[in-house]
Amino acid sequence: MRCQFCNKEKTDRIFYINWMGTVYQVPVCQDCLQKMWQKAAASGRTEEFRNYTGWWPGKQEPRHMGDRAFPDQAVSGLVMRRKLAALKAKLTEAANAENYEEAARLRDDIATMEKEVCTNGN
């Protein structure tokens, strides 16, 4: 995935934004995330930034794709869709690396999860 802001390859952080009932994925690279933090700090809004993104400089375990975007508010359907997005990204990487066994395993995992999402109506 490419960073939404600078268009760099290989971002490993992703935010999910629920805007008027539609969930959008916003991939962000480490550099842009630092710039966003600096802007939040300059405007005195670091607490809001921490609450909204779940990230701040010096946090021991940075968020990665598939992590909970809204730590205390994520509904199970959103968590499942987030995991699906992460698996699909890994599937693309495995296929590009010609790791077909891993790609087949990921494909099967995705199919299973998609059936669960459709069955639960989330």
Side-chain angles (χ1 to χ4, degrees):
M1 241 180 230
R2 293 181 177 268
C3 176
Q4 182 77 26
F5 302 100
C6 69
N7 209 25
K8 278 188 201 171
E9 289 272 357
K10 301 285 184 184
T11 59
D12 64 348
R13 286 160 182 78
I14 189 162
F15 297 107
Y16 288 81
I17 299 172
N18 186 340
W19 178 257
M20 301 178 79
T22 302
V23 177
Y24 298 96
Q25 294 182 18
V26 181
V28 183
C29 70
Q30 180 67 28
D31 294 336
C32 289
L33 194 58
Q34 288 288 345
K35 289 176 188 174
M36 290 166 55
W37 173 261
Q38 291 168 355
K39 288 180 182 181
S43 64
R45 299 193 176 261
T46 56
E47 192 62 34
E48 289 94 337
F49 187 86
R50 291 172 90 164
N51 291 338
Y52 184 71
T53 66
W55 180 89
W56 56 90
K59 184 174 180 185
Q60 298 232 342
E61 297 178 22
R63 296 170 11 143
H64 296 283
M65 272 185 70
D67 288 354
R68 295 177 58 168
F70 308 109
D72 296 324
Q73 303 166 2
V75 295
S76 62
L78 180 59
V79 171
M80 188 71 80
R81 287 191 299 271
R82 193 173 315 117
K83 288 179 181 177
L84 274 171
L87 284 176
K88 287 178 181 180
K90 288 180 183 178
L91 173 63
T92 302
E93 289 175 10
N96 290 340
E98 297 181 4
N99 186 351
Y100 299 118
E101 292 174 4
E102 177 72 9
R105 185 189 63 75
L106 289 167
R107 180 202 60 214
D108 295 342
D109 291 347
I110 290 168
T112 302
M113 287 182 87
E114 284 178 339
K115 285 180 185 176
E116 288 178 31
V117 170
C118 291
T119 303
N120 294 335
N122 291 325

